[in-house]
């Protein structure tokens, strides 16, 4: 049987035009017209003033922390229920990650626990330098409440929209709410540049400085001179060409992912054994991944792991929801605020195949395996 992937790249055909232009003009080195164009495409689509195209979403988050002056001894508060790339750059800067639990309505960072974390760390004499809030699986977090907490305590917000391109809250695109905002174009994301990311902000100075640091912080001199430590984080003109082609179909990709989610939801309508990631009023999720929870009290012992293994045996890729950062061996002993929402989601949650290139036959195959296993 053909492998059904969790979320595979989906090319549109428009990408070849931009890549071919890069070859024809010999713009195959880093930077070039595609990079400039891709940054403009992103800024226009997300509705934010400025963007820097970078080598990865992780690079974008790292530069965001650098821009905010995060360093040794500082604390950065981060959602626990997320991918490691949301937290690793904190450690790059010598700072301490402090993890916060999620809430049930969106599965994202809990505003109440966030406030508790800020107050708790300040009571210890810690310098809370930034907050990283993630829109998990393309579901808008409680961004208004998060901004209110950050504003009240005067802590800058980094919006991790790596999984959220194309989603919106109250009609406003994700990636436009924070002081600094990040996107990812990894191969499994809703659009891809093979590998890549972006840093966005309304503050032009921050984006200009991030571009400078991302190109090895080379001073304006005829020779190679450096007054600051820099990074090799800029996106190549070839990858940016892929991104320009992908941006032409971003709304189609979101619509198809949402259609996948609706297909699964209808297939299990009325089935109390399966619950789907909720979407509260005002949210427009991109449904990057279709995520479920399995109620083992109603399945006669069938767990999310039972389902995952059954699908794996049929060449279908499914994965557990993210393992919380405060449970990861590498972050053992780091401070954590909140309850057990993130832990529960990890215990009973599963990501289903969600690619925008899935066929109806493939969706039926996934559902068929799930229903046979549940029965």
């Amino acid at each position: 049987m053909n492998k059904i992937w969790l979320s595979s790249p989906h090319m549109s055909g428009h990408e070849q035009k931009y890549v071919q232009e890069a070859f024809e003009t010999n713009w195959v080195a880093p930077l070039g017209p595609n990079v400039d164009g891709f940054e403009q495409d992103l800024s226009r689509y997300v509705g934010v003033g400025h963007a820097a195209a970078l080598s990865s979403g992780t690079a974008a988050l790292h530069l965001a922390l650098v821009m905010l002056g995060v360093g040794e001894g500082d604390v950065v508060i981060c959602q626990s229920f997320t991918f490691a790339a949301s937290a690793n750059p904190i450690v790059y800067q010598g700072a301490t990650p402090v993890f916060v639990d999620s809430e049930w309505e969106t599965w994202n960072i809990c505003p109440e626990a966030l406030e508790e974390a800020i107050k708790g760390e300040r009571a210890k004499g810690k310098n809370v330098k930034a907050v990283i809030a993630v829109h998990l699986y393309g579901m808008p977090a409680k961004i208004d409440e998060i901004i209110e907490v950050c504003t009240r305590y005067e802590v800058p917000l980094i919006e991790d929209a790596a999984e959220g391109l194309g989603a919106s809250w109250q009609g406003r695109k994700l990636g436009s709410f924070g002081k600094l905002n990040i996107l990812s174009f990894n191969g499994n994301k809703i659009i891809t540049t093979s590998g890549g990311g972006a840093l966005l902000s309304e503050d032009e100075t921050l984006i200009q400085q991030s571009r400078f640091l991302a190109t090895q912080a080379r001073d304006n001199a005829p020779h190679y001179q450096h007054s600051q430590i820099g990074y090799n984080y800029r996106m190549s003109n070839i990858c940016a060409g892929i991104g320009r082609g992908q941006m032409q179909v971003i709304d189609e990709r979101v619509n198809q992912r949402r259609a996948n989610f609706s297909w699964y939801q209808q297939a299990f309508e009325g089935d109390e054994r399966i619950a789907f990631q909720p979407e509260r009023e005002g949210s427009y999720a991109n449904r990057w991944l279709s995520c479920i929870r399995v109620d083992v009290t109603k399945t006669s012992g069938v767990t999310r792991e039972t389902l995952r293994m059954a699908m794996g045996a049929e060449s279908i890729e499914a994965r557990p929801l993210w393992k919380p950062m405060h449970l990861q061996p590498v972050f053992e002993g780091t401070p954590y605020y909140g309850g057990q929402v993130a832990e529960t989601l990890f215990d009973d949650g599963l990501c289903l195949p969600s690619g925008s290139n899935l066929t109806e036959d493939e969706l039926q195959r996934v559902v068929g395996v799930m229903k046979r296993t549940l029965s």
Side-chain angles (χ1 to χ4, degrees):
M1 289 179 287
N2 291 332
K3 176 87 171 184
I4 298 178
W5 298 99
L6 185 72
S7 179
S8 64
H10 188 183
M11 295 294 101
S12 68
H14 299 295
E15 300 84 4
Q16 292 175 326
K17 167 191 169 185
Y18 297 101
V19 173
Q20 187 61 34
E21 284 178 358
F23 275 97
E24 288 174 353
T25 57
N26 204 33
W27 277 106
V28 295
L31 304 183
N34 281 336
V35 175
D36 296 338
F38 188 43
E39 290 176 343
Q40 292 164 12
D41 294 342
L42 291 169
S43 295
R44 187 163 45 245
Y45 181 80
V46 175
V48 68
H50 309 280
L54 303 167
S55 57
S56 68
T58 309
L61 184 51
H62 184 201
L63 284 176
L65 295 172
V66 173
M67 292 296 98
L68 295 178
V70 173
E72 194 82 31
D74 290 333
V75 158
V76 175
I77 296 175
C78 180
Q79 187 165 318
S80 182
F81 189 49
T82 185
F83 179 52
S86 299
N88 286 342
I90 301 169
V91 182
Y92 300 167
Q93 288 303 103
T96 300
V98 171
F99 296 115
V100 172
D101 198 10
S102 293
E103 38 75 16
W104 286 115
E105 284 188 87
T106 73
W107 299 1
N108 291 304
I109 193 168
C110 174
E112 289 80 12
L114 170 60
E115 182 172 13
E116 181 188 350
I118 294 173
K119 291 165 66 176
E121 291 303 302
R122 284 186 173 174
K124 300 176 189 175
K126 302 294 185 181
N127 182 21
V128 181
K129 201 75 172 180
V131 168
I132 299 171
V134 186
H135 301 292
L136 209 66
Y137 304 119
M139 178 60 63
K142 290 187 173 180
I143 196 68
D144 292 341
E145 294 90 332
I146 293 165
I147 290 172
E148 193 279 325
V149 172
C150 289
T151 301
R152 182 148 39 90
Y153 290 93
E154 299 182 327
V155 182
L157 172 65
I158 299 172
E159 185 188 359
D160 183 346
E163 302 171 9
L165 182 62
S168 59
W169 165 248
Q170 301 283 23
R172 181 176 168 182
K173 289 285 196 300
L174 303 189
S176 66
F177 289 92
K179 184 176 180 67
L180 289 154
N181 315 289
I182 75 149
L183 300 172
S184 172
F185 313 113
N186 189 34
N188 64 1
K189 293 300 189 293
I190 201 153
I191 67 166
T192 184
T193 57
S194 177
L199 183 65
L200 297 89
S201 179
E202 288 294 347
D203 190 327
E204 185 177 8
T205 301
L206 288 177
I207 296 302
Q208 288 177 339
Q209 179 67 4
S210 71
R211 291 180 183 136
F212 169 70
L213 293 177
T215 47
Q216 299 290 20
R218 182 183 174 188
D219 293 339
N220 185 19
H223 52 278
Y224 286 94
Q225 178 164 303
H226 308 271
S227 304
Q228 294 177 260
I229 295 296
Y231 311 92
N232 185 17
Y233 279 172
R234 276 298 244 161
M235 181 179 285
S236 80
N237 198 52
I238 298 292
C239 289
I242 299 172
R244 295 213 70 187
Q246 290 271 281
M247 284 300 293
Q248 291 184 229
V249 295
I250 175 62
D251 289 332
E252 293 175 34
R253 299 296 182 254
V254 172
N255 289 340
Q256 187 55 54
R257 301 252 178 178
R258 287 180 62 87
N260 290 341
F261 180 86
S262 295
W263 208 97
Y264 287 129
Q265 201 171 39
Q266 290 170 15
F268 289 97
E269 188 174 8
D271 191 332
E272 295 182 353
R273 299 170 297 182
I274 300 294
F276 290 83
Q277 185 180 18
E279 183 177 38
R280 64 182 183 139
E281 187 176 352
S283 287
Y284 184 81
N286 67 14
R287 297 296 184 185
W288 170 56
L289 295 182
S290 293
C291 301
I292 63 169
R293 298 180 60 210
V294 181
D295 189 342
V296 293
T297 67
K298 299 174 181 176
T299 61
S300 301
V302 175
T303 66
R304 63 101 163 134
E305 193 61 9
T306 313
L307 282 178
R308 187 189 70 80
M309 293 178 68
M311 284 190 272
E314 299 286 340
S315 295
I316 299 170
E317 184 183 23
R319 290 187 186 175
L321 301 187
W322 299 122
K323 182 175 182 178
M325 291 299 102
H326 72 277
L327 300 181
Q328 298 286 354
V330 71
F331 292 119
E332 185 177 1
T334 52
Y336 172 72
Y337 291 83
Q340 294 183 305
V341 174
E343 295 178 26
T344 303
L345 288 167
F346 170 62
D347 285 342
D348 64 19
L350 191 66
C351 303
L352 304 178
S354 306
S356 52
N357 49 6
L358 285 174
T359 66
E360 186 171 327
D361 285 345
E362 288 173 327
L363 289 166
Q364 288 176 338
R365 197 170 126 203
V366 173
V367 169
V369 173
M370 291 175 66
K371 288 191 171 183
R372 286 196 301 272
T373 305
L374 287 166
S375 298

